Amino acid sequence: MTIYPDPNNPYPLENYKQLCFLKNIITNPNIIVGDFTYYDDFENPHNFENNVLYHFDFIGDKLIIGKFCAIASDVKFMMNGGNHPLNYFTTYPFTIFGHAWENTMSVANTSKGDTIIGNDVWFGYNALIMPGIKVGDGAIIAASSVVTKDVEPYTIVGGNPAKLIRKRFEDEVINLLLKLQWWDWPIEKITQNIGILCSNNLAALKQLY
Ligand SMILES: CC(C)(COP(=O)(O)OP(=O)(O)OC[C@H]1O[C@@H](n2cnc3c(N)ncnc32)[C@H](O)[C@@H]1OP(=O)(O)O)[C@@H](O)C(=O)NCCC(=O)NCCS
């Protein structure tokens, strides 16, 4: 037995198959997930891709999630295919129904780009992330939030629309964590230093730098 879990094991908890190391169950090449990021679904973790909403190949936008994120049940990512045109006289998507309506271009032609999630981000139950949002490392998204703006690293945001609740640490600590980027260390080094990562011992953290 190794001293750390295998990131390539879809179901790292033997007796709890509702939780998966997410990268192992993704089939859509436009969803990219880092090692150890997990998704915990009340029913079946394979629901995750259904929670990436309006994600169409012909648009090609990507959902990119870093390492060591924790994603609770019913978290949803709205992608750019959900947008209807805002600046036309009608938002009705005539063109998708073809016939004489084909090529009328009444589908949204502005994309807000890829959704990019950092590392060590915790998503509370039922959060909704809107298209093109960037969430920084170490952020926390409160339960049932609707995230409409980018989220700074190591902040907690919540509500609809999600607003800053507070910074998680003093700027000095945040800057140190962002420099350390512990999630990119070799897994042996992470394992060795978990005691410090799972503490708020600043002196010990500084010694890791
Ligand atoms: C965001 C969260 C981590 C904050 O924790 P906390 O700081 O201990 O929470 P508090 O109750 O002290 O609330 C702090 C502030 O955030 C607000 N807040 C808390 N949860 C919120 C939410 N879901 N949406 C909006 N605001 C929220 C509180 O109203 C309070 O606001 P105030 O400072 O204006 O009074 C927590 O509320 C949360 O949402 N956790 C997610 C739990 C979850 O979904 N787990 C799933 C399994 S992993």
Side-chain angles (χ1 to χ4, degrees):
M1 194 173 81
T2 56
I3 58 166
Y4 49 83
D6 176 3
N8 300 317
N9 179 1
Y11 306 107
L13 305 183
E14 182 90 359
N15 298 316
Y16 187 75
K17 298 276 162 52
Q18 289 163 233
L19 184 150
C20 68
F21 279 156
L22 185 57
K23 70 166 193 175
N24 301 300
I25 66 155
I26 295 295
T27 59
N28 184 333
N30 285 332
I31 303 178
I32 297 153
V33 181
D35 284 351
F36 297 103
T37 283
Y38 75 83
Y39 176 57
D40 179 16
D41 190 280
F42 290 147
E43 290 167 0
N44 181 342
H46 288 265
N47 287 336
F48 182 84
E49 277 179 299
N50 295 332
N51 290 350
V52 183
L53 310 172
Y54 308 104
H55 195 199
F56 303 129
D57 290 347
F58 70 88
I59 293 180
D61 50 349
K62 292 187 170 53
L63 169 60
I64 301 169
I65 304 177
K67 302 177 190 172
F68 293 97
C69 294
I71 307 177
S73 197
D74 291 353
V75 169
K76 297 185 187 70
F77 296 88
M78 172 101 69
M79 304 302 285
N80 288 286
N83 289 333
H84 288 211
L86 307 182
N87 53 345
Y88 296 162
F89 298 121
T90 176
T91 56
Y92 192 83
F94 283 99
T95 194
I96 66 172
F97 296 106
H99 304 276
W101 296 355
E102 210 173 2
N103 301 322
T104 50
M105 298 296 287
S106 52
V107 291
N109 53 11
T110 53
S111 166
K112 294 185 174 172
D114 297 335
T115 298
I116 302 179
I117 311 301
N119 305 278
D120 192 14
V121 176
W122 173 28
F123 291 89
Y125 166 73
N126 195 41
L128 171 64
I129 316 303
M130 295 302 283
I133 292 294
K134 318 296 183 242
V135 178
D137 299 319
I140 297 174
I141 313 297
S144 289
S145 298
V146 178
V147 180
T148 61
K149 298 240 175 3
D150 291 354
V151 178
E152 292 296 312
Y154 289 97
T155 59
I156 306 176
V157 300
N160 179 7
K163 302 272 192 217
L164 181 70
I165 292 176
R166 64 175 181 274
K167 287 187 177 187
R168 292 185 56 202
F169 305 108
E170 299 290 329
D171 286 346
E172 181 201 4
V173 181
I174 293 178
N175 290 335
L176 182 56
L177 286 164
L178 291 174
K179 277 187 197 144
L180 279 178
Q181 299 192 359
W182 62 263
W183 40 84
D184 285 336
W185 293 346
I187 192 63
E188 294 77 11
K189 182 174 174 186
I190 293 175
T191 305
Q192 216 174 2
N193 290 291
I194 277 176
I196 297 173
L197 295 173
C198 297
S199 81
N200 52 14
N201 181 342
L202 181 56
L205 190 73
K206 279 181 174 166
Q207 287 190 344
L208 295 176
Y209 184 60

